[in-house]
Amino acid sequence: MTTPPNLPALLAAERQRFLDQHPRSLALARAAQHHFLFGVPLHWMRDWPTPATLFVREARGVTLSCADDLNYADFCLGDTGAMFGHSPAPLAQALAEQAARGLTCMLPAEHTPEVGTLLAETFGLPMWQMALTASDANRFVLRWARAITQRPQLLVFDGCYHGAVDDTLVDRDPSSGATLRRPSVLGQVHNHHAFTRVVPFNDLAALEAALSDGQVACLLAEPALTNCGLVPPAPGFWEAAQALCQRFGTLLVMDETHTLSTARGGYAKAHGLAPDFFVAGKAVAGGLPCALYGFTAEVAERMRAAKNAAPEGHSGIGTTLAGNALTLAALRAALTHLHTEASYGHMLDLAGRLEQGLSHHIATHGLPWTVTRLGARMELQFMPHTPRDAQDVVDHAQPELESFTHLFMLNRGVLLTPFHSMMLLSPSTQVADVDRLLAAFDALCVTLSPGQ
């Protein structure tokens, strides 16, 4: 299916509908321009396909209320940050109690050993360190990996997302396979593309070739690509990739910030993989700024040796607020009350219901679209098959159709993730929320069906 010829007119109508329904957001957008760049506290907040920024009054559970008193069933959930729902009661209570006892001291809170035990039990690795964002955690892991291997190179997959880590903000030339500067990245002065190798996801031959000279410190990878459209691993890919890393002495780092949706403990634990490092952020403490990285006992010994052998001074690893008391309190509450089998059972059951409903409507209306699911996370993709790698996604991209879909659904009270049409289920999501999304999606399919 090519882009419908009347799509520009349909999109214009949806843009006007948004403007008519959101006068208060429009006023706030104008007011915020006076002191915030692009009118928002983070410029990404303008990257939604709405004609003006949607301002939020309250988010609770999976219901988001905007400044114009309209309610939305939220399937974006802060692009994973609120995967367990907005302001879960155990988390809100823990934050309130800790706020009265102190926020940060640059000393460990007394429940730190308990949190360590919970981390090991939940994610399966024995040793841990804290950060505030997954971007920071990934940066710190890269320093550790290069320090303990004494190797300069990093390996990532084309289309990966690891936050604002400069080393990973590079592109792959599809014709030559060379690593290129990413032109959209601002203020670049360092030659990161000389120290980062990029290979296609699911390509074991390319992975082996990139590792074979013994210069790669670590493979930093998401278990499935999640930021260019959901791209799952091919059967047996990770078992073979892990074996290649072990064969060439390359550390395997699993960044599960987006794949915590797979199952309790993440993708690697659910599939019996044994990464050397594990990284998670965003949802790990219920949406409070928090990230962590875990590692094996063997890696811990190598880290201690590298630190002890280095001169005194700042290691370049860590920030003052990492591991603060408020973060630890939130993480403790999240690990105890949110990262549970009951939470995941509910999320996965509803995700199956949503996947089945979406696929039914796609088939009923004869649309060449695909739904790809990873646990409680799924993606509507405007292509006839599950993508194999990032280039496959690029080759089938329909950005105007994605923008229209997002705005059409938002105007009918359903919030999807911007950039691509990701949907995430939470323990707070109910059958009525799923049915609301499916009803809006059916209307979308009717609008875009051939012959309409």
Side-chain angles (χ1 to χ4, degrees), residues 304-320:
R304 290 189 189 100
K307 182 69 174 76
N308 292 336
E312 288 296 321
H314 186 25
S315 64
I317 297 171
T319 54
T320 304

Side-chain angles (χ1 to χ4, degrees), residues 260-347:
L260 291 180
S261 64
T262 307
R264 182 175 181 267
Y267 183 98
K269 185 178 180 184
H271 289 83
L273 301 178
D276 299 287
F277 284 96
F278 168 99
V279 173
K282 288 192 179 180
V284 73
L288 188 82
C290 173
L292 44 84
Y293 56 102
F295 37 95
T296 65
E298 178 190 0
V299 168
E301 285 302 313
R302 296 173 71 182
M303 292 163 71
R304 290 189 189 100
K307 182 69 174 76
N308 292 336
E312 288 296 321
H314 186 25
S315 64
I317 297 171
T319 54
T320 304
L321 295 181
N324 66 76
L326 189 68
T327 296
L328 264 290
L331 183 57
R332 179 192 187 196
L335 293 170
T336 303
H337 299 288
L338 305 181
H339 293 262
T340 66
E341 294 294 350
S343 290
Y344 277 91
H346 178 84
M347 294 158 67

Side-chain angles (χ1 to χ4, degrees), residues 150-217:
Q150 291 296 291
R151 296 179 176 185
Q153 293 287 329
L154 164 67
L155 180 61
V156 297
F157 290 115
D158 185 30
C160 69
Y161 182 69
H162 302 291
V165 181
D166 286 352
D167 307 68
T168 68
L169 301 178
V170 293
D171 289 327
R172 178 180 179 273
D173 185 332
S175 58
S176 69
T179 305
L180 306 173
R181 287 181 181 268
R182 182 173 296 175
S184 63
V185 177
L186 300 175
Q188 293 191 79
V189 294
H190 298 294
N191 191 17
H192 294 290
H193 57 283
F195 297 96
T196 300
R197 299 175 181 179
V198 186
V199 298
F201 194 58
N202 282 322
D203 189 334
L204 288 170
L207 180 63
E208 181 173 5
L211 295 173
S212 62
D213 66 355
Q215 293 300 301
V216 177

Side-chain angles (χ1 to χ4, degrees), residues 367-389:
L367 295 165
W369 302 347
T370 301
V371 178
T372 302
R373 179 160 79 95
L374 187 70
R377 182 188 189 101
M378 70 193 72
E379 187 102 18
L380 171 66
Q381 294 161 319
F382 301 109
M383 54 193 298
H385 60 266
T386 299
R388 296 175 289 268
D389 54 32

Side-chain angles (χ1 to χ4, degrees), residues 58-82:
E58 181 178 270
R60 188 170 298 179
V62 293
T63 301
L64 186 150
S65 302
C66 75
D68 290 281
D69 290 324
L70 300 175
N71 293 330
Y72 300 87
D74 188 2
F75 289 85
C76 171
L77 296 173
D79 193 17
T80 306

